[in-house]
Coordinates of all heavy atoms in Angstrom, one line a residue:
M1383 N 0.8 -1.2 0.0 CA 0.0 0.0 0.0 C 0.9 1.3 0.0 O 1.9 1.3 0.8 CB -0.9 0.0 1.2 CG -1.6 1.3 1.5 SD -2.8 1.3 2.8 CE -1.8 1.1 4.2
Q1384 N 0.6 2.2 -0.9 CA 1.4 3.4 -0.9 C 0.9 4.3 0.2 O -0.3 4.6 0.3 CB 1.2 4.1 -2.3 CG 2.2 5.2 -2.5 CD 2.3 5.7 -3.9 OE1 1.7 5.1 -4.8 NE2 3.1 6.7 -4.2
T1385 N 1.8 4.8 1.0 CA 1.5 5.7 2.2 C 1.9 7.1 2.0 O 1.6 8.0 2.8 CB 2.2 5.1 3.4 OG1 3.6 5.0 3.2 CG2 1.6 3.7 3.8
G1386 N 2.7 7.4 0.9 CA 3.1 8.8 0.6 C 3.7 8.8 -0.8 O 3.7 7.7 -1.5
P1387 N 4.2 9.9 -1.3 CA 4.7 10.0 -2.6 C 5.8 9.0 -2.9 O 5.9 8.5 -4.0 CB 5.2 11.4 -2.8 CG 4.6 12.2 -1.6 CD 4.3 11.2 -0.6
N1388 N 6.6 8.7 -1.9 CA 7.8 7.8 -2.1 C 7.8 6.7 -1.1 O 8.9 6.0 -0.9 CB 9.1 8.6 -2.1 CG 9.1 9.6 -3.2 OD1 8.8 9.3 -4.3 ND2 9.5 10.8 -2.8
T1389 N 6.7 6.5 -0.3 CA 6.8 5.5 0.7 C 5.7 4.4 0.6 O 4.6 4.7 0.1 CB 6.6 6.2 2.1 OG1 5.4 6.9 2.2 CG2 7.8 7.0 2.4
F1390 N 6.0 3.2 1.0 CA 5.1 2.1 0.9 C 5.1 1.3 2.1 O 6.2 1.2 2.8 CB 5.4 1.3 -0.3 CG 5.4 2.0 -1.6 CD1 6.5 2.7 -2.1 CD2 4.3 1.9 -2.5 CE1 6.5 3.4 -3.3 CE2 4.3 2.6 -3.7 CZ 5.4 3.4 -4.1
E1391 N 4.0 0.6 2.4 CA 4.0 -0.4 3.5 C 3.6 -1.7 2.8 O 2.6 -1.8 2.1 CB 3.0 -0.1 4.6 CG 3.6 1.0 5.5 CD 2.7 1.3 6.7 OE1 1.5 0.8 6.7 OE2 3.1 2.0 7.6
V1392 N 4.3 -2.8 3.1 CA 4.1 -4.1 2.5 C 3.8 -5.1 3.6 O 4.6 -5.3 4.5 CB 5.3 -4.6 1.7 CG1 5.0 -6.0 1.1 CG2 5.6 -3.6 0.6
D1393 N 2.6 -5.7 3.6 CA 2.2 -6.7 4.6 C 2.5 -8.0 4.0 O 2.2 -8.3 2.8 CB 0.7 -6.6 5.0 CG 0.4 -5.3 5.7 OD1 1.1 -4.9 6.6 OD2 -0.7 -4.7 5.4
G1394 N 3.1 -8.9 4.8 CA 3.3 -10.3 4.3 C 3.7 -11.2 5.4 O 3.7 -10.8 6.6
D1395 N 4.0 -12.4 5.1 CA 4.4 -13.4 6.1 C 5.9 -13.5 6.1 O 6.6 -13.6 5.0 CB 3.8 -14.8 5.7 CG 2.3 -14.8 5.9 OD1 1.8 -14.1 6.7 OD2 1.7 -15.6 5.1
F1396 N 6.5 -13.4 7.3 CA 7.9 -13.5 7.5 C 8.2 -14.8 8.2 O 7.5 -15.1 9.2 CB 8.3 -12.3 8.4 CG 9.8 -12.1 8.6 CD1 10.7 -11.9 7.5 CD2 10.4 -12.2 9.8 CE1 12.0 -11.7 7.7 CE2 11.7 -12.0 10.0 CZ 12.6 -11.8 8.9
T1397 N 9.1 -15.6 7.7 CA 9.4 -16.9 8.2 C 10.9 -17.0 8.7 O 11.8 -16.7 7.9 CB 9.1 -18.0 7.1 OG1 7.8 -17.8 6.7 CG2 9.3 -19.4 7.7
I1398 N 11.0 -17.5 9.9 CA 12.3 -17.8 10.4 C 12.2 -19.2 11.1 O 11.3 -19.4 11.9 CB 12.8 -16.8 11.5 CG1 13.0 -15.4 10.8 CG2 14.2 -17.2 12.1 CD1 13.4 -14.3 11.8
R1399 N 13.2 -20.1 10.8 CA 13.2 -21.4 11.4 C 11.9 -22.1 11.4 O 11.5 -22.8 12.3 CB 13.7 -21.2 12.9 CG 15.0 -20.5 13.0 CD 15.5 -20.3 14.4 NE 16.2 -21.4 14.8 CZ 16.6 -21.7 16.1 NH1 16.3 -20.8 17.0 NH2 17.2 -22.7 16.4
G1400 N 11.2 -22.0 10.3 CA 9.9 -22.7 10.1 C 8.7 -22.1 10.7 O 7.6 -22.6 10.7
V1401 N 8.9 -20.9 11.4 CA 7.8 -20.2 12.0 C 7.4 -19.0 11.2 O 8.3 -18.2 11.0 CB 8.1 -19.8 13.5 CG1 7.0 -19.0 14.1 CG2 8.5 -21.0 14.3
S1402 N 6.2 -18.9 10.8 CA 5.7 -17.7 10.0 C 4.8 -16.8 10.8 O 3.9 -17.3 11.6 CB 5.0 -18.2 8.8 OG 5.9 -18.8 7.9
N1403 N 4.9 -15.5 10.7 CA 4.1 -14.6 11.3 C 3.8 -13.4 10.3 O 4.7 -13.1 9.5 CB 4.7 -14.0 12.6 CG 4.7 -15.0 13.7 OD1 3.7 -15.5 14.1 ND2 5.9 -15.3 14.3
P1404 N 2.7 -12.8 10.4 CA 2.5 -11.6 9.6 C 3.3 -10.4 10.1 O 3.4 -10.2 11.3 CB 1.0 -11.2 9.8 CG 0.6 -11.9 11.0 CD 1.5 -13.1 11.2
E1405 N 4.0 -9.7 9.2 CA 4.9 -8.6 9.6 C 4.7 -7.5 8.5 O 4.1 -7.7 7.5 CB 6.3 -9.0 9.6 CG 6.7 -10.0 10.6 CD 6.7 -9.6 12.1 OE1 6.5 -8.4 12.3 OE2 6.8 -10.4 12.9
K1406 N 5.1 -6.3 8.9 CA 5.0 -5.1 8.0 C 6.4 -4.6 7.6 O 7.2 -4.4 8.5 CB 4.2 -4.0 8.6 CG 3.9 -2.8 7.7 CD 3.1 -1.8 8.4 CE 1.8 -2.4 8.9 NZ 0.6 -2.1 8.2
L1407 N 6.6 -4.4 6.3 CA 7.8 -3.9 5.8 C 7.6 -2.5 5.3 O 6.6 -2.3 4.5 CB 8.3 -4.8 4.7 CG 9.6 -4.4 4.0 CD1 10.8 -4.5 4.9 CD2 9.8 -5.3 2.8
T1408 N 8.4 -1.5 5.7 CA 8.2 -0.1 5.3 C 9.3 0.2 4.2 O 10.5 -0.1 4.5 CB 8.4 0.8 6.4 OG1 7.4 0.5 7.4 CG2 8.2 2.3 6.0
L1409 N 8.9 0.7 3.1 CA 9.9 1.0 2.0 C 9.9 2.5 1.6 O 8.8 3.1 1.6 CB 9.5 0.2 0.7 CG 9.4 -1.3 0.8 CD1 8.9 -1.9 -0.5 CD2 10.8 -1.9 1.2
T1410 N 11.0 3.0 1.3 CA 11.1 4.4 0.8 C 11.9 4.2 -0.6 O 13.0 3.7 -0.6 CB 11.9 5.3 1.7 OG1 11.3 5.3 3.0 CG2 12.0 6.7 1.1
V1411 N 11.3 4.7 -1.6 CA 11.8 4.6 -3.0 C 12.2 6.0 -3.5 O 11.5 7.0 -3.3 CB 10.7 4.1 -3.9 CG1 11.3 3.9 -5.4 CG2 10.2 2.7 -3.4
S1412 N 13.4 6.1 -4.1 CA 13.9 7.4 -4.6 C 14.5 7.1 -6.0 O 14.9 6.0 -6.3 CB 14.9 8.0 -3.7 OG 16.1 7.2 -3.6
G1413 N 14.5 8.2 -6.8 CA 15.1 8.1 -8.1 C 14.2 7.6 -9.2 O 14.6 7.3 -10.3
K1414 N 12.9 7.5 -9.0 CA 12.0 7.0 -9.9 C 12.0 7.8 -11.2 O 11.9 9.0 -11.2 CB 10.5 7.0 -9.3 CG 9.5 6.4 -10.2 CD 8.2 6.4 -9.4 CE 7.0 6.5 -10.4 NZ 5.7 6.6 -9.6
G1415 N 12.2 7.1 -12.4 CA 12.2 7.8 -13.7 C 13.5 8.4 -14.0 O 13.6 9.0 -15.1
T1416 N 14.6 8.2 -13.3 CA 15.9 8.8 -13.5 C 16.9 7.8 -14.2 O 18.0 8.2 -14.5 CB 16.5 9.4 -12.2 OG1 16.8 8.3 -11.4 CG2 15.6 10.4 -11.6
G1417 N 16.5 6.6 -14.2 CA 17.5 5.6 -14.7 C 18.3 4.9 -13.6 O 19.0 3.9 -13.9
S1418 N 18.2 5.5 -12.4 CA 18.9 4.8 -11.3 C 18.0 5.2 -10.1 O 17.3 6.1 -10.1 CB 20.3 5.3 -11.1 OG 20.3 6.7 -10.8
G1419 N 18.1 4.3 -9.1 CA 17.2 4.6 -7.9 C 17.7 3.8 -6.7 O 18.6 2.9 -6.8
E1420 N 17.0 4.0 -5.6 CA 17.3 3.3 -4.4 C 16.0 2.9 -3.7 O 15.0 3.6 -3.8 CB 18.1 4.2 -3.5 CG 19.4 4.6 -4.0 CD 20.2 5.5 -3.1 OE1 19.8 5.7 -1.9 OE2 21.2 6.0 -3.5
I1421 N 16.1 1.8 -3.0 CA 15.0 1.4 -2.1 C 15.6 1.1 -0.8 O 16.5 0.3 -0.6 CB 14.3 0.1 -2.6 CG1 13.7 0.3 -4.0 CG2 13.2 -0.4 -1.6 CD1 13.1 -0.9 -4.7
N1422 N 15.0 1.8 0.2 CA 15.4 1.6 1.6 C 14.3 0.9 2.3 O 13.1 1.3 2.2 CB 15.8 2.9 2.3 CG 17.0 3.5 1.8 OD1 18.1 2.9 1.8 ND2 16.9 4.7 1.2
G1423 N 14.6 -0.1 3.1 CA 13.5 -0.9 3.8 C 13.8 -1.0 5.2 O 15.0 -1.0 5.7
K1424 N 12.7 -1.2 6.0 CA 12.9 -1.4 7.5 C 11.7 -2.2 8.0 O 10.6 -2.1 7.5 CB 12.9 0.0 8.2 CG 13.0 -0.1 9.7 CD 13.0 1.2 10.3 CE 13.1 1.1 11.8 NZ 13.0 2.3 12.5
M1425 N 12.0 -3.1 8.9 CA 11.0 -3.8 9.6 C 11.5 -4.1 11.1 O 12.7 -4.1 11.3 CB 10.6 -5.1 8.9 CG 11.6 -6.2 8.9 SD 11.0 -7.7 8.2 CE 10.0 -8.4 9.5
V1426 N 10.6 -4.4 12.0 CA 11.0 -4.7 13.3 C 10.1 -6.0 13.7 O 9.0 -6.1 13.4 CB 10.6 -3.6 14.3 CG1 10.9 -3.9 15.7 CG2 11.4 -2.3 13.9
F1427 N 10.8 -6.9 14.3 CA 10.1 -8.1 14.8 C 10.6 -8.5 16.2 O 11.7 -8.1 16.6 CB 10.1 -9.2 13.8 CG 11.5 -9.9 13.6 CD1 11.9 -10.9 14.4 CD2 12.4 -9.4 12.7 CE1 13.1 -11.5 14.2 CE2 13.6 -9.9 12.5 CZ 14.0 -11.0 13.3
N1428 N 9.8 -9.3 16.9 CA 10.1 -9.9 18.2 C 10.7 -11.3 17.9 O 10.0 -12.1 17.4 CB 8.9 -9.9 19.1 CG 9.3 -10.3 20.5 OD1 10.1 -11.1 20.7 ND2 8.7 -9.7 21.5
R1429 N 12.0 -11.5 18.3 CA 12.6 -12.8 18.1 C 11.9 -13.9 18.8 O 11.9 -15.0 18.3 CB 14.1 -12.7 18.4 CG 14.3 -12.5 19.9 CD 15.8 -12.4 20.2 NE 16.1 -12.2 21.6 CZ 16.2 -13.2 22.5 NH1 16.2 -14.5 22.0 NH2 16.4 -13.0 23.7
K1430 N 11.3 -13.6 19.9 CA 10.6 -14.7 20.7 C 9.4 -15.2 19.9 O 9.0 -16.3 20.1 CB 10.2 -14.2 22.0 CG 11.4 -14.0 22.9 CD 11.0 -13.6 24.3 CE 12.3 -13.4 25.2 NZ 11.9 -13.1 26.6
D1431 N 8.8 -14.4 19.0 CA 7.7 -14.8 18.2 C 8.0 -15.9 17.2 O 7.2 -16.5 16.6 CB 7.0 -13.6 17.5 CG 6.4 -12.6 18.4 OD1 6.1 -13.0 19.5 OD2 6.1 -11.5 17.9
Y1432 N 9.4 -16.1 17.1 CA 9.9 -17.1 16.1 C 10.6 -18.2 16.8 O 11.4 -18.9 16.2 CB 10.8 -16.4 15.1 CG 10.0 -15.4 14.2 CD1 9.8 -14.1 14.6 CD2 9.4 -15.8 13.1 CE1 9.1 -13.2 13.8 CE2 8.6 -15.0 12.3 CZ 8.4 -13.7 12.7 OH 7.7 -12.8 12.0
G1433 N 10.4 -18.3 18.1 CA 11.0 -19.4 18.8 C 12.5 -19.2 19.2 O 13.1 -20.1 19.7
M1434 N 12.9 -18.0 19.1 CA 14.3 -17.6 19.4 C 14.3 -17.0 20.8 O 14.5 -15.8 21.0 CB 14.9 -16.7 18.4 CG 15.1 -17.3 17.1 SD 15.9 -16.3 15.9 CE 14.6 -15.1 15.5
D1435 N 14.0 -17.8 21.8 CA 13.9 -17.2 23.2 C 15.0 -17.7 24.1 O 15.1 -17.3 25.2 CB 12.5 -17.6 23.8 CG 12.2 -19.0 23.7 OD1 13.0 -19.8 23.2 OD2 11.0 -19.4 24.1
G1436 N 16.0 -18.4 23.5 CA 17.2 -18.7 24.3 C 18.1 -17.5 24.2 O 18.0 -16.6 23.5
G1437 N 19.1 -17.6 25.1 CA 20.1 -16.5 25.1 C 21.5 -17.1 25.2 O 21.7 -18.3 25.1
I1438 N 22.4 -16.2 25.4 CA 23.8 -16.6 25.6 C 24.1 -16.2 27.1 O 23.8 -15.1 27.5 CB 24.7 -15.8 24.7 CG1 24.4 -16.0 23.2 CG2 26.2 -16.1 25.0 CD1 25.1 -15.1 22.2
P1439 N 24.6 -17.2 27.9 CA 24.9 -16.9 29.3 C 25.7 -15.6 29.4 O 26.7 -15.3 28.7 CB 25.7 -18.1 29.7 CG 25.4 -19.2 28.8 CD 25.1 -18.5 27.4
F1440 N 25.2 -14.8 30.4 CA 25.9 -13.5 30.8 C 25.8 -12.4 29.8 O 26.4 -11.4 29.9 CB 27.4 -13.8 31.2 CG 27.6 -14.9 32.1 CD1 28.2 -16.0 31.8 CD2 27.1 -14.8 33.5 CE1 28.4 -17.1 32.6 CE2 27.3 -15.8 34.4 CZ 27.9 -17.0 34.0
I1441 N 25.0 -12.6 28.7 CA 24.8 -11.6 27.7 C 23.4 -11.3 27.5 O 22.6 -12.3 27.2 CB 25.5 -12.0 26.3 CG1 27.0 -12.1 26.5 CG2 25.2 -10.9 25.2 CD1 27.7 -12.7 25.2
K1442 N 22.9 -10.1 27.6 CA 21.5 -9.7 27.4 C 21.3 -9.5 26.0 O 22.0 -8.8 25.3 CB 21.3 -8.4 28.2 CG 19.9 -7.8 28.0 CD 18.9 -8.4 28.9 CE 17.6 -7.6 28.8 NZ 16.5 -8.4 28.8
I1443 N 20.3 -10.2 25.4 CA 19.9 -10.1 24.0 C 18.5 -9.4 24.0 O 17.6 -9.9 24.6 CB 19.9 -11.4 23.3 CG1 21.3 -12.1 23.3 CG2 19.4 -11.3 21.9 CD1 21.3 -13.5 22.8
A1444 N 18.4 -8.4 23.2 CA 17.1 -7.7 23.0 C 16.1 -8.6 22.4 O 16.4 -9.4 21.6 CB 17.3 -6.4 22.2
D1445 N 14.8 -8.4 22.7 CA 13.7 -9.2 22.1 C 13.4 -8.6 20.7 O 13.1 -9.4 19.9 CB 12.5 -9.2 23.0 CG 12.7 -9.9 24.3 OD1 13.6 -10.7 24.4 OD2 11.9 -9.6 25.3
H1446 N 13.4 -7.3 20.6 CA 13.0 -6.7 19.3 C 14.3 -6.6 18.4 O 15.3 -6.2 18.8 CB 12.4 -5.3 19.5 CG 11.0 -5.4 20.0 ND1 10.7 -5.5 21.3 CD2 9.8 -5.5 19.3 CE1 9.4 -5.6 21.5 NE2 8.9 -5.6 20.3
V1447 N 14.1 -7.0 17.2 CA 15.2 -7.0 16.2 C 14.8 -6.0 15.1 O 13.7 -6.1 14.5 CB 15.4 -8.4 15.6 CG1 16.4 -8.4 14.5 CG2 15.7 -9.4 16.6
D1448 N 15.7 -5.1 14.8 CA 15.5 -4.1 13.7 C 16.2 -4.6 12.5 O 17.4 -5.0 12.5 CB 16.1 -2.7 14.1 CG 15.4 -2.0 15.2 OD1 14.2 -2.3 15.3 OD2 16.0 -1.2 15.9
V1449 N 15.5 -4.7 11.4 CA 16.1 -5.1 10.1 C 16.0 -3.9 9.1 O 15.0 -3.4 8.9 CB 15.3 -6.3 9.5 CG1 15.9 -6.7 8.2 CG2 15.3 -7.5 10.5
T1450 N 17.2 -3.6 8.5 CA 17.2 -2.5 7.5 C 17.9 -3.0 6.3 O 18.9 -3.8 6.4 CB 17.8 -1.2 8.0 OG1 19.2 -1.5 8.5 CG2 17.1 -0.6 9.2
F1451 N 17.6 -2.5 5.1 CA 18.3 -2.8 4.0 C 18.3 -1.7 3.0 O 17.4 -0.8 3.1 CB 17.8 -4.1 3.3 CG 16.4 -4.0 2.7 CD1 16.1 -3.5 1.5 CD2 15.3 -4.4 3.5 CE1 14.9 -3.4 1.0 CE2 14.0 -4.3 3.0 CZ 13.8 -3.8 1.7
H1452 N 19.3 -1.7 2.1 CA 19.4 -0.6 1.1 C 19.8 -1.2 -0.2 O 20.8 -1.9 -0.3 CB 20.6 0.3 1.6 CG 20.9 1.5 0.7 ND1 20.2 2.7 0.8 CD2 21.8 1.6 -0.3 CE1 20.6 3.5 -0.1 NE2 21.6 2.9 -0.8
L1453 N 18.9 -1.0 -1.2 CA 19.2 -1.5 -2.5 C 19.4 -0.4 -3.5 O 18.7 0.6 -3.5 CB 18.0 -2.3 -3.0 CG 17.5 -3.5 -2.2 CD1 16.2 -4.1 -2.7 CD2 18.6 -4.6 -2.1
K1454 N 20.4 -0.5 -4.4 CA 20.6 0.5 -5.4 C 20.5 -0.2 -6.8 O 21.0 -1.3 -6.9 CB 22.0 1.1 -5.3 CG 22.2 1.9 -4.0 CD 23.6 2.4 -3.9 CE 23.7 3.8 -4.5 NZ 25.0 4.5 -4.2
G1455 N 19.9 0.5 -7.7 CA 19.8 0.0 -9.1 C 20.1 1.0 -10.1 O 19.9 2.2 -9.8
K1456 N 20.5 0.6 -11.3 CA 20.8 1.5 -12.4 C 20.5 0.8 -13.7 O 20.9 -0.3 -13.9 CB 22.3 1.9 -12.3 CG 22.7 2.9 -13.4 CD 24.1 3.3 -13.2 CE 24.5 4.3 -14.3 NZ 25.8 4.7 -14.2
R1457 N 19.7 1.4 -14.5 CA 19.4 0.9 -15.8 C 20.6 1.0 -16.7 O 21.3 2.1 -16.8 CB 18.2 1.7 -16.4 CG 17.7 1.1 -17.7 CD 16.6 1.9 -18.4 NE 17.0 3.2 -18.8 CZ 16.6 4.3 -18.4 NH1 15.7 4.4 -17.5 NH2 17.1 5.5 -18.9
I1458 N 21.0 -0.1 -17.3 CA 22.2 0.0 -18.1 C 21.9 0.0 -19.6 O 22.7 0.3 -20.4 CB 23.2 -1.2 -17.8 CG1 22.5 -2.5 -17.9 CG2 23.8 -1.0 -16.4 CD1 23.3 -3.7 -17.8
S1459 N 20.7 -0.3 -20.0 CA 20.2 -0.2 -21.4 C 18.7 -0.4 -21.5 O 18.1 -0.8 -20.5 CB 20.9 -1.3 -22.3 OG 20.4 -2.6 -21.9
G1460 N 18.2 0.0 -22.6 CA 16.8 -0.1 -22.9 C 16.0 1.1 -22.4 O 16.5 2.0 -21.8
P1461 N 14.7 1.1 -22.8 CA 13.9 2.3 -22.5 C 13.5 2.3 -21.0 O 13.5 1.2 -20.4 CB 12.7 2.2 -23.4 CG 12.6 0.7 -23.6 CD 14.0 0.2 -23.6
P1462 N 13.1 3.4 -20.5 CA 12.7 3.4 -19.1 C 11.3 2.7 -18.9 O 10.6 2.6 -19.9 CB 12.5 4.9 -18.8 CG 12.5 5.6 -20.1 CD 13.2 4.8 -21.1
L1463 N 11.2 2.1 -17.8 CA 9.9 1.4 -17.5 C 8.8 2.4 -17.3 O 9.0 3.3 -16.6 CB 10.1 0.5 -16.3 CG 11.0 -0.7 -16.5 CD1 11.1 -1.4 -15.1 CD2 10.5 -1.7 -17.5
A1464 N 7.6 2.1 -17.8 CA 6.4 2.9 -17.6 C 5.7 2.2 -16.4 O 5.1 1.2 -16.6 CB 5.6 3.0 -18.8
L1465 N 5.8 2.8 -15.2 CA 5.1 2.3 -14.0 C 3.7 2.8 -14.0 O 3.5 4.0 -14.0 CB 5.9 2.7 -12.8 CG 7.3 2.2 -12.7 CD1 8.0 2.7 -11.4 CD2 7.4 0.6 -12.7
K1466 N 2.8 1.9 -13.8 CA 1.3 2.3 -13.6 C 1.0 2.4 -12.1 O 1.5 1.6 -11.3 CB 0.4 1.3 -14.3 CG 0.6 1.2 -15.8 CD -0.3 0.2 -16.4 CE -0.2 0.2 -17.9 NZ -1.1 -0.8 -18.5
Q1467 N 0.3 3.4 -11.8 CA -0.1 3.5 -10.4 C -1.6 3.4 -10.2 O -2.4 3.7 -11.0 CB 0.4 4.9 -9.8 CG 1.9 4.9 -9.8 CD 2.3 6.2 -9.0 OE1 1.6 6.8 -8.3 NE2 3.6 6.5 -9.2

């Protein structure tokens, strides 16, 4: 779902170690129509929801895990894509 001119929220199932839960991924897209662009993504999940409730002795591990990614792309040939909204 588009939430702003360059932002999107994607709902889907996230699976770790055979356990699936619904999660939300937030995306920010830049460079649309320029021949190169970037997608930045972020999501947060609770590791205990996926059966990762063990720890390491004497080390505190947070329950919430932040996941971020950064993708860059560049068109190297061909016409620009016509994106329909």
